Amino acid sequence: MLNFCFPPGWFSPVVATDSQTRNRVIVRKAQPQDIKELARLLTECFHPQQGWLSYFNPLLTLGVHEDLRTRLHLPPSQYRCLIASQPVNGDRTNRQEIVGTLEIGLRKSFLGSSSRPYISNLAVKPSHRRQGIARQLLVKCEQIASEWEAKELTLHVLEDNHAARQLYLANGYQIQQAEVNLSYWLFQQPRRLLLQKLV
């Protein structure tokens, strides 16, 4: 059995109501029993497979599951995994479904030896996008960064991911650097953009 990755009560859940759907969204820390559903969500969002490639989905999901399980053992002073959940429509047992997730962890600075909060794996179910869920997760990251006494948040986004870029820029992130690597030159892959927000 996995240990909880956060001490009890390290923050109160954030409850928000989306003005369009009127569904309550709760942002809370991930727990070991969430890993299976989180792995499916991340695979669906970052590795969408169609046709014969869909046969690889179970293998990809297993890899994501094991990566998450490992990260959840990191101390809460270095890493947090957040989830956004809301009640399942028509379910009278008050069961919650995970509709979004985000991870924040301390990473070494790209230019120095200091560590700073880095956001990764922001994912929202396709059926729940454009409802403010990603923004709520980002707001919670700012609270965590303040708790860690950090002055900035960083993340990467692909240059051609226009929806994500728009989200980050609308929430106060600024482009710091466009990273060019060999795959950009040889295979015309999109560049990774390093974004930063002062908190």
Side-chain angles (χ1 to χ4, degrees):
M1 181 174 181
L2 297 174
N3 294 325
F4 285 88
C5 59
F6 316 106
W10 68 269
F11 75 92
S12 301
V14 176
V15 180
T17 304
D18 175 67
S19 59
Q20 294 176 342
T21 63
R22 302 292 182 211
N23 286 330
R24 292 178 57 196
V25 174
I26 298 172
V27 176
R28 64 173 175 84
K29 64 186 180 213
Q31 300 177 8
Q33 60 266 30
D34 299 320
I35 293 176
K36 186 175 181 180
E37 193 174 351
L38 277 173
R40 281 196 306 264
L41 171 63
L42 289 168
T43 302
E44 176 186 1
C45 291
F46 291 115
H47 306 286
Q49 304 289 331
Q50 297 181 4
W52 66 272
L53 291 174
S54 63
Y55 291 111
F56 292 102
N57 276 358
L59 186 60
L60 288 170
T61 303
L62 177 62
V64 172
H65 181 282
E66 291 305 304
D67 285 345
L68 276 170
R69 190 169 64 85
T70 300
R71 287 193 298 276
L72 286 178
H73 284 293
L74 293 171
S77 60
Q78 297 176 9
Y79 169 85
R80 309 273 173 95
C81 180
L82 304 177
I83 62 171
S85 64
Q86 66 183 43
V88 176
N89 287 336
D91 189 332
R92 295 182 182 210
T93 63
N94 295 325
R95 188 172 66 87
Q96 298 276 320
E97 71 171 320
I98 296 174
V99 295
T101 185
L102 175 149
E103 295 176 66
I104 179 172
L106 291 178
R107 283 199 180 174
K108 292 287 185 186
S109 169
F110 299 98
L111 300 175
S113 60
S114 62
S115 295
R116 59 184 175 178
Y118 181 85
I119 294 172
S120 61
N121 291 337
L122 172 57
V124 176
K125 277 189 176 180
S127 59
H128 290 75
R129 291 177 183 164
R130 298 200 174 280
Q131 297 178 17
I133 294 169
R135 184 183 178 286
Q136 293 170 43
L137 289 163
L138 289 172
V139 167
K140 192 63 197 171
C141 280
E142 293 178 30
Q143 295 172 10
I144 293 169
S146 295
E147 177 186 323
W148 287 346
E149 299 179 357
K151 296 183 176 18
E152 63 188 43
L153 283 163
T154 58
L155 57 87
H156 280 97
V157 65
L158 290 178
E159 186 176 35
D160 64 348
N161 190 342
H162 301 292
R165 282 177 60 186
Q166 182 179 7
L167 167 72
Y168 297 132
L169 295 175
N171 283 281
Y173 288 82
Q174 296 181 344
I175 298 172
Q176 296 298 305
Q177 180 182 358
E179 298 176 357
V180 179
N181 57 29
L182 195 57
S183 64
Y184 170 76
W185 295 109
L186 294 178
F187 307 110
Q188 298 179 343
Q189 295 293 317
R191 295 181 296 180
R192 287 192 336 154
L193 304 177
L194 175 64
L195 276 63
Q196 178 188 64
K197 181 177 183 177
L198 301 179
V199 292

